[in-house]
Amino acid sequence: GAVVSQHPSWVICKSGTSVKIECRSLDFQATTMFWYRQFPKQSLMLMATSNEGSKATYEQGVEKDKFLINHASLTLSTLTVTSAHPEDSSFYICSARDPGSGRPRSYNEQFFGPGTRLTVL
Amino acid sequence: RKEVEQDPGPFNVPEGATVAFNCTYSNSASQSFFWYRQDCRKEPKLLMSVYSSGNEDGRFTAQLNRASQYISLLIRDSKLSDSATYLCGFSYGKLTFGQGTILTVHP
């Protein structure tokens, strides 16, 4: 299957700083990527849909000014957590669809990155 | 009503047991259905897609019931390595996950 990478895999930062997380599709081009957040013992919650060359679409309750998303190329999307606070500590995971997989669009399989564990002190 | 409802478990079963999970969804426009497996502190990995006709992959069988709006996953002859969290997923443009069901297979 398609490969998605994330960097960094973990980060610890002080409260008030900004953290940038990168998501890359390594062997395919992704016009759409997705950013999820997962708190301990909870499911993955979609934060936003990242669209190459246009603005991201945020889910209800997710602050777009706090979680900045940039999708400048077909293989890279970035999520910046601005002015991070301890309650932002979570597991952030990106995913991407592989439009060239040969399957119909309705198949909608997504490939996930390995995740980034953010701890804000 | 929640978009997705999934029994969180935990399910504790002995090796060799058969175990089944269900997941209900509220959006009848859902087009694609999946079961993912997530190990502790790792990303989810696709276990299998779910088709209307039902599909089987070794010890795993997935079923979809559109009329009642639920999907199921059956694991036969459980192995210790099956211990994980199983997430159901529904897609109608975006992928929505259930809460996840924790499965522990013990010797």
Side-chain angles (χ1 to χ4, degrees):
Chain A
V3 180
V4 177
S5 71
Q6 261 183 262
H7 177 80
S9 55
W10 59 269
V11 58
I12 301 173
C13 68
K14 292 182 179 179
S15 186
T17 59
S18 293
V19 176
K20 179 186 282 188
I21 302 170
E22 293 185 349
C23 178
R24 293 181 185 273
S25 54
L26 298 185
D27 51 1
F28 66 101
Q29 294 184 327
T31 55
T32 303
M33 292 184 174
F34 302 89
W35 286 98
Y36 294 83
R37 180 168 54 180
Q38 187 176 35
F39 292 107
K41 297 187 179 181
Q42 295 187 25
S43 188
L44 284 82
M45 297 301 296
L46 180 64
M47 299 175 66
T49 302
S50 173
N51 305 298
E52 187 269 333
S54 64
K55 291 182 179 180
T57 304
Y58 290 82
E59 294 300 301
Q60 191 173 8
V62 178
E63 300 175 57
K64 62 180 181 180
D65 294 329
K66 180 169 181 63
F67 299 99
L68 302 179
I69 292 174
N70 184 282
H71 194 152
S73 78
L74 288 172
T75 59
L76 173 64
S77 174
T78 61
L79 168 68
T80 301
V81 183
T82 62
S83 187
H85 290 283
E87 58 265 29
D88 298 322
S89 298
S90 188
F91 190 43
Y92 292 85
I93 310 175
C94 70
S95 72
R97 280 198 290 253
D98 179 5
S101 66
R103 299 187 178 98
R105 286 186 63 82
S106 61
Y107 186 72
N108 268 346
E109 179 180 350
Q110 291 185 26
F111 298 93
F112 287 85
T116 297
R117 195 160 299 278
L118 170 64
T119 302
V120 185
L121 303 176
Chain B
R1 184 181 173 186
K2 288 183 181 178
E3 281 193 276
V4 183
E5 301 223 30
Q6 184 176 6
D7 183 353
F11 285 68
N12 294 297
V13 303
E15 273 187 290
T18 296
V19 61
F21 311 133
N22 285 332
C23 225
T24 58
Y25 61 96
S26 60
N27 190 333
S28 58
S30 297
Q31 298 175 323
S32 306
F33 307 87
F34 307 95
W35 281 102
Y36 281 83
R37 171 194 169 125
Q38 186 175 27
D39 293 294
C40 189
R41 304 175 77 86
K42 299 283 188 180
E43 77 277 21
K45 291 189 183 296
L46 182 66
L47 180 63
M48 54 197 308
S49 302
V50 189
Y51 304 113
S52 296
S53 55
N55 45 303
E56 186 174 312
D57 183 3
R59 299 181 292 109
F60 300 85
T61 301
Q63 295 276 354
L64 164 63
N65 185 316
R66 285 190 184 270
S68 301
Q69 295 186 194
Y70 76 86
I71 63 171
S72 63
L73 177 68
L74 181 76
I75 305 176
R76 292 182 298 278
D77 189 23
S78 299
K79 310 292 184 189
L80 296 177
S81 57
D82 292 335
S83 298
T85 297
Y86 291 83
L87 300 162
C88 56
F90 303 89
S91 180
Y92 48 96
K94 60 182 183 180
L95 183 58
T96 301
F97 287 98
Q99 183 179 354
T101 298
I102 298 172
L103 172 66
T104 302
V105 181
H106 58 82

